[in-house]
Amino acid sequence: MKQIQLLILVFALISGNIAVAQTEKVVEDFKPSEVNQIGKEYPQVNSEGRVRVQIEAPEANNVQLDIGAVKYDLTKDENGVWIGESAPQDEGFHYYQLNIDGASVPDPGSRYFYGASRWGSGIEIPAHDQDFYALKNVPHGQVRELQYYSEVQESMRRCFVYTPPGYEKNVEKRYPVLYLQHGGGENETGWSNQGRVNLIMDNLLAEGQVKPFIIVMDNGSWYRPRDQRPAPRDTTEKRTWPPKGWADGFMNVLLKDVIPMIDANFRTIADQENRAMAGLSMGGMQTRIITLNNPDVFSHVGMFSGGSISVEDVENAEGFKENIKLVFISYGSKELENPRPGPWGDPKENTNALKEYGMNTHFYVSPETAHEWQSWRRSFYQFAPLLFTE
Amino acid sequence: MKQIQLLILVFALISGNIAVAQTEKVVEDFKPSEVNQIGKEYPQVNSEGRVRVQIEAPEANNVQLDIGAVKYDLTKDENGVWIGESAPQDEGFHYYQLNIDGASVPDPGSRYFYGASRWGSGIEIPAHDQDFYALKNVPHGQVRELQYYSEVQESMRRCFVYTPPGYEKNVEKRYPVLYLQHGGGENETGWSNQGRVNLIMDNLLAEGQVKPFIIVMDNGSWYRPRDQRPAPRDTTEKRTWPPKGWADGFMNVLLKDVIPMIDANFRTIADQENRAMAGLSMGGMQTRIITLNNPDVFSHVGMFSGGSISVEDVENAEGFKENIKLVFISYGSKELENPRPGPWGDPKENTNALKEYGMNTHFYVSPETAHEWQSWRRSFYQFAPLLFTE
């Protein structure tokens, strides 16, 4: 019986379906989060990385802060204001939400970010290395919202394009392009909103550490009407992941719609040597499949917390070894401590083997972070200076 | 005593502090709102323009839909899901929120828009004339996010810039510029998010009804640290509105930072004849003061639900009569039925008098709309073809 209770407790902890009451001593140096809405005092963050929220809900019975897959009970004061805080969080950006009498809602104090398949609250835990993605008085590029027609989907789509500072003035200059993808449950807004990729580029450029290039951020999620979904898997088949054809939808849009549209409307250098693809998590897995299948289209490959590429993959991908100039693989250190099950083997071993096999590989580990945006900001910061350097 | 009760009722209705139970017959043809988050079935709108929301909140005691300054009680089903709808709303865009046991929060089903000094829920009531702001397969311009340094504020600021289709390709062509301001409690995202000004321009351009121009959307709100706020008003002084100096902060930023930055970074025609200013509500009032004081900087003036310009104003503004080519004034019809108190007299009479005085004026009334975005979308649609036509 005790074993069953323990099992239930472990399951509840893993699944985040448990409310944790804070009992530890909390350092009282909370400040408003950097990504609060203007004029809002809460949410706040302290030097330990705890998140404190506050919301007026005089008639509520139960209000919780839901962050990092853990729900923390808040307490109500005499004015009907609920307040409470989380355990310390990793440095960087995190999604969270409030739970008011069973309703999961955004915190009205925070700005909103698209992740976990919804617009929801976000918070910034100040990081020891936050300077590389800070907004500074340096020359800034532009982030442009584009509406374009997709022949593949027969509908309008949206993407964001970063152009580096000087793009407007140097009207003769042409630029390489990086196609940069978000993760599962995120969208084309992720890399500039949560990832601050425009600020990272502006800062890298200001320090002369990177060649200027254009960044295209499209939506890699693939919504299929129910009647167009594939038949259930044949269970006698050997199980592979991702299933065959998993990235075909976005691959078609990228190759047939997005790249031609970008090359037609921006001053790109429209060849393989000057075209890179990278992505985080699901976007990394898409990058893997799309670049293995199209080494004549892309020359530089980045996968952040999204698997790796093995020697066997390359041996089965004609032209990949000869044409690809960089394979960059990264993870957050906490992802490697407790490996996520993946179909492609150990990422570090794979990447080392690929180097011995004769390819230019880089393996980067973001210190003390997990499957989260701080890992991906740092990954981009490491990856960008390696692009288009020849 | 009855009079007092009636007075309380009227006050409660006006201030929105009353819950209204729906008793009328509701037409059951609800569809998800066009600005829902992807995959979300609620909120919905029916052919009467009623808004129906739904939220799971099994432990809640009281959930309300708060829209148009009225709170509507929802009812809970056996699964803990709350549902209910509003009275019919005007065509077009509206802000709203949910109230869960006293907590005012965004609806997790809707997309979010900045208004009422916070990021909150928005909904679209399909309009009979919605075609002019619909997303179509026509050539599209770009909406660009810019970070720039303000010498006036000694800090970084953000603005959005619409460039028309073809701007990237016609690299010799130069364009006029419209500076277009949001209303009170809104910000630099309003005109493209709620206003859809980019789509209105794309559609007008596709039909050849407007000259291509650049649109700059900056933040006209003026946050001053508490210690920099002016001393309390001298009550012996004659009361005027807006108070002297009210628009100075934004006027300085616009003239000293924004316009030079735009002229330096975009292919503008950088002269008075090719520079316009317009705004809605607070942005219209700012447009009034800024253009009356700077008729050497701007040539075309638009004020949407933001007051009007009298002959007396013009007589006191040197150079205004000679240099200004257009004064465009507009309101929603419901604003005129029940005039908002304003310090500048009847807008239609003022505008007619200004025409008789010898200026080129236009007065437009948006049918069946109030102080809301549908009035301002229509106003822009009427205003844009009148710009830079000589």
Side-chain angles (χ1 to χ4, degrees):
Chain A
M1 194 59 194
K2 266 198 172 162
Q3 278 181 321
I4 288 173
Q5 285 175 338
L6 185 67
L7 205 66
I8 290 170
L9 178 68
V10 167
F11 177 78
L13 275 166
I14 289 169
S15 64
N17 288 320
I18 197 165
V20 176
Q22 285 296 133
T23 48
E24 306 117 89
K25 180 92 180 140
V26 168
V27 178
E28 285 299 336
D29 58 0
F30 286 89
K31 294 192 180 72
S33 158
E34 192 193 332
V35 292
N36 279 7
Q37 295 185 35
I38 196 160
K40 298 293 175 76
E41 283 296 306
Y42 284 87
Q44 299 192 341
V45 182
N46 78 353
S47 55
E48 301 169 281
R50 293 184 200 271
V51 175
R52 176 174 281 172
V53 294
Q54 180 184 287
I55 187 164
E56 193 178 331
E59 302 162 50
N61 305 308
N62 180 23
V63 181
Q64 296 173 314
L65 162 62
D66 181 356
I67 187 167
V70 177
K71 295 187 179 80
Y72 301 88
D73 285 331
L74 309 187
T75 55
K76 183 159 85 165
D77 72 11
E78 67 277 13
N79 301 314
V81 175
W82 295 77
I83 192 163
E85 59 276 322
S86 73
Q89 306 292 308
D90 290 345
E91 293 186 342
F93 178 87
H94 303 276
Y95 301 111
Y96 76 98
Q97 58 195 338
L98 300 181
N99 193 306
I100 303 174
D101 284 346
S104 282
V105 293
D107 180 343
S110 83
R111 295 219 304 266
Y112 305 132
F113 302 85
Y114 197 79
S117 300
R118 52 114 177 84
W119 286 97
S121 289
I123 196 147
E124 280 287 340
I125 311 296
H128 73 282
D129 58 348
Q130 64 190 2
D131 189 65
F132 79 85
Y133 53 86
L135 175 62
K136 301 178 191 176
N137 183 12
V138 297
H140 284 276
Q142 300 177 358
V143 176
R144 307 173 180 205
E145 181 183 350
L146 271 67
Q147 312 283 348
Y148 67 96
Y149 184 76
S150 161
E151 301 286 347
V152 171
Q153 286 194 314
E154 297 180 347
S155 65
M156 298 298 299
R157 290 175 57 92
R158 179 173 80 156
C159 70
F160 289 87
V161 177
Y162 168 85
T163 52
Y167 182 89
E168 286 302 318
K169 292 196 177 170
N170 314 329
V171 292
E172 299 300 316
K173 188 171 162 65
R174 304 188 75 88
Y175 295 81
V177 185
L178 166 66
Y179 292 84
L180 183 62
Q181 290 302 121
H182 57 83
E186 295 172 339
N187 70 11
E188 68 274 24
T189 64
W191 267 108
S192 52
N193 283 359
Q194 296 94 296
R196 306 199 184 185
V197 69
N198 49 327
L199 302 184
I200 300 173
M201 273 297 282
D202 294 339
N203 291 337
L204 279 169
L205 283 163
E207 293 171 2
Q209 291 189 41
V210 67
K211 270 191 75 167
F213 54 85
I214 294 167
I215 304 174
V216 177
M217 298 160 278
D218 206 287
N219 190 325
S221 305
W222 203 252
Y223 303 96
R224 270 191 286 201
R226 197 170 291 272
D227 58 2
Q228 288 176 30
R229 287 181 195 159
R233 189 172 59 84
D234 176 0
T235 50
T236 62
E237 215 180 304
K238 188 189 164 200
R239 189 165 187 169
T240 60
W241 206 96
K244 194 166 155 42
W246 172 77
D248 286 359
F250 180 63
M251 181 158 65
N252 279 337
V253 165
L254 181 64
L255 298 181
K256 294 177 187 164
D257 291 321
V258 184
I259 293 175
M261 182 273 290
I262 294 295
D263 284 336
N265 286 284
F266 290 86
R267 299 194 313 278
T268 64
I269 310 172
D271 61 22
Q272 182 263 358
E273 284 189 32
N274 290 286
R275 200 179 288 122
M277 182 169 185
L280 72 93
S281 193
M282 180 186 83
M285 301 177 203
Q286 291 172 323
T287 298
R288 176 178 171 275
I289 294 174
I290 292 171
T291 57
L292 281 169
N293 280 285
N294 298 279
D296 55 328
V297 177
F298 303 95
S299 53
H300 298 71
V301 176
M303 295 165 57
F304 314 153
S305 307
S308 58
I309 290 178
S310 69
V311 171
E312 190 189 345
D313 291 331
V314 174
E315 284 178 339
N316 291 326
E318 199 186 320
F320 194 87
K321 186 179 179 189
E322 298 73 27
N323 290 323
I324 297 298
K325 295 187 172 181
L326 172 69
V327 174
F328 178 100
I329 305 294
S330 70
Y331 272 92
S333 66
K334 295 185 181 181
E335 295 182 276
L336 298 175
E337 282 165 22
N338 180 16
R340 293 161 64 92
W344 305 298
D346 181 90
K348 188 172 183 182
E349 284 172 22
N350 269 352
T351 308
N352 283 341
L354 206 56
K355 192 183 275 290
E356 282 173 29
Y357 180 67
M359 295 199 71
N360 178 31
T361 66
H362 271 72
F363 188 73
Y364 169 71
V365 177
S366 162
E368 299 298 313
T369 60
H371 197 72
E372 59 199 6
W373 275 98
Q374 194 71 358
S375 301
W376 307 323
R377 289 169 174 168
R378 289 174 179 165
S379 294
F380 179 85
Y381 182 68
Q382 298 293 325
F383 175 63
L386 306 175
L387 293 182
F388 315 119
T389 49
E390 283 172 26
Chain B
M1 192 61 193
K2 266 199 175 163
Q3 280 183 318
I4 288 172
Q5 283 174 340
L6 185 68
L7 205 66
I8 290 169
L9 178 69
V10 166
F11 178 78
L13 275 166
I14 290 169
S15 63
N17 288 321
I18 198 166
V20 176
Q22 284 298 131
T23 50
E24 307 117 90
K25 179 92 179 140
V26 170
V27 178
E28 282 301 333
D29 58 359
F30 286 90
K31 293 191 181 72
S33 158
E34 192 193 331
V35 291
N36 279 6
Q37 295 185 35
I38 197 159
K40 297 290 174 79
E41 284 297 306
Y42 284 88
Q44 300 192 340
V45 183
N46 78 352
S47 56
E48 301 169 283
R50 292 184 199 272
V51 174
R52 176 174 281 172
V53 294
Q54 179 184 287
I55 188 164
E56 195 179 328
E59 302 162 50
N61 306 309
N62 180 24
V63 181
Q64 297 174 312
L65 162 62
D66 181 357
I67 187 167
V70 179
K71 294 188 180 79
Y72 302 88
D73 284 331
L74 310 188
T75 55
K76 182 159 86 165
D77 73 11
E78 66 277 14
N79 301 314
V81 176
W82 295 77
I83 193 164
E85 59 277 323
S86 74
Q89 305 293 309
D90 290 345
E91 293 186 340
F93 177 88
H94 303 276
Y95 301 109
Y96 75 100
Q97 59 194 340
L98 300 181
N99 194 306
I100 303 175
D101 285 346
S104 283
V105 292
D107 180 344
S110 83
R111 296 219 303 265
Y112 305 132
F113 302 85
Y114 197 79
S117 300
R118 53 114 176 84
W119 285 98
S121 288
I123 196 147
E124 277 289 339
I125 311 296
H128 73 281
D129 58 348
Q130 62 189 3
D131 189 65
F132 80 84
Y133 53 85
L135 175 63
K136 300 178 191 177
N137 183 12
V138 296
H140 284 276
Q142 300 177 358
V143 176
R144 309 172 180 205
E145 181 184 349
L146 271 67
Q147 313 283 348
Y148 67 95
Y149 184 76
S150 161
E151 301 285 348
V152 171
Q153 285 194 315
E154 298 181 346
S155 63
M156 296 299 298
R157 289 177 58 94
R158 180 173 79 156
C159 71
F160 288 86
V161 177
Y162 167 84
T163 53
Y167 182 88
E168 286 301 318
K169 289 192 179 174
N170 313 329
V171 293
E172 298 301 315
K173 190 171 161 66
R174 304 188 75 89
Y175 296 81
V177 185
L178 167 65
Y179 292 84
L180 183 62
Q181 289 304 121
H182 58 83
E186 296 171 338
N187 70 11
E188 68 274 24
T189 64
W191 268 109
S192 54
N193 283 358
Q194 295 94 294
R196 302 198 188 190
V197 70
N198 49 326
L199 302 183
I200 300 173
M201 272 298 281
D202 294 338
N203 292 335
L204 279 169
L205 284 163
E207 294 171 0
Q209 291 188 42
V210 66
K211 270 191 74 166
F213 53 84
I214 294 167
I215 305 174
V216 177
M217 297 160 279
D218 207 287
N219 190 326
S221 305
W222 204 251
Y223 302 96
R224 270 193 286 201
R226 197 171 291 273
D227 59 1
Q228 289 178 29
R229 287 180 195 158
R233 190 172 58 84
D234 177 0
T235 49
T236 61
E237 216 179 303
K238 189 188 164 198
R239 188 166 191 169
T240 60
W241 204 97
K244 194 164 154 48
W246 171 78
D248 286 359
F250 179 62
M251 181 158 64
N252 279 337
V253 165
L254 181 65
L255 298 181
K256 294 180 186 161
D257 290 321
V258 184
I259 293 176
M261 183 273 292
I262 295 295
D263 284 335
N265 287 284
F266 290 85
R267 297 194 315 277
T268 63
I269 310 173
D271 60 23
Q272 183 262 358
E273 286 189 31
N274 289 286
R275 200 180 289 120
M277 184 170 181
L280 73 92
S281 193
M282 179 186 84
M285 301 177 203
Q286 290 172 324
T287 298
R288 177 178 170 276
I289 294 174
I290 293 171
T291 57
L292 281 169
N293 281 286
N294 298 278
D296 54 328
V297 177
F298 303 96
S299 53
H300 297 72
V301 176
M303 295 165 56
F304 314 154
S305 305
S308 59
I309 290 177
S310 70
V311 171
E312 189 188 346
D313 290 332
V314 173
E315 283 177 339
N316 291 327
E318 199 186 321
F320 193 87
K321 188 180 179 190
E322 298 72 27
N323 291 322
I324 298 297
K325 297 187 169 179
L326 172 70
V327 174
F328 179 100
I329 306 292
S330 71
Y331 271 92
S333 67
K334 295 186 180 182
E335 295 182 276
L336 298 174
E337 283 165 21
N338 181 15
R340 292 161 65 90
W344 304 298
D346 180 272
K348 189 174 183 180
E349 284 172 21
N350 267 353
T351 309
N352 283 342
L354 207 56
K355 191 184 277 291
E356 283 173 28
Y357 181 67
M359 295 201 70
N360 177 32
T361 65
H362 271 71
F363 188 71
Y364 169 71
V365 178
S366 163
E368 298 299 315
T369 59
H371 197 73
E372 58 201 5
W373 274 98
Q374 194 70 359
S375 302
W376 306 322
R377 289 169 176 170
R378 289 174 179 165
S379 294
F380 179 84
Y381 182 68
Q382 299 293 325
F383 176 63
L386 307 175
L387 292 182
F388 315 118
T389 50
E390 281 170 29

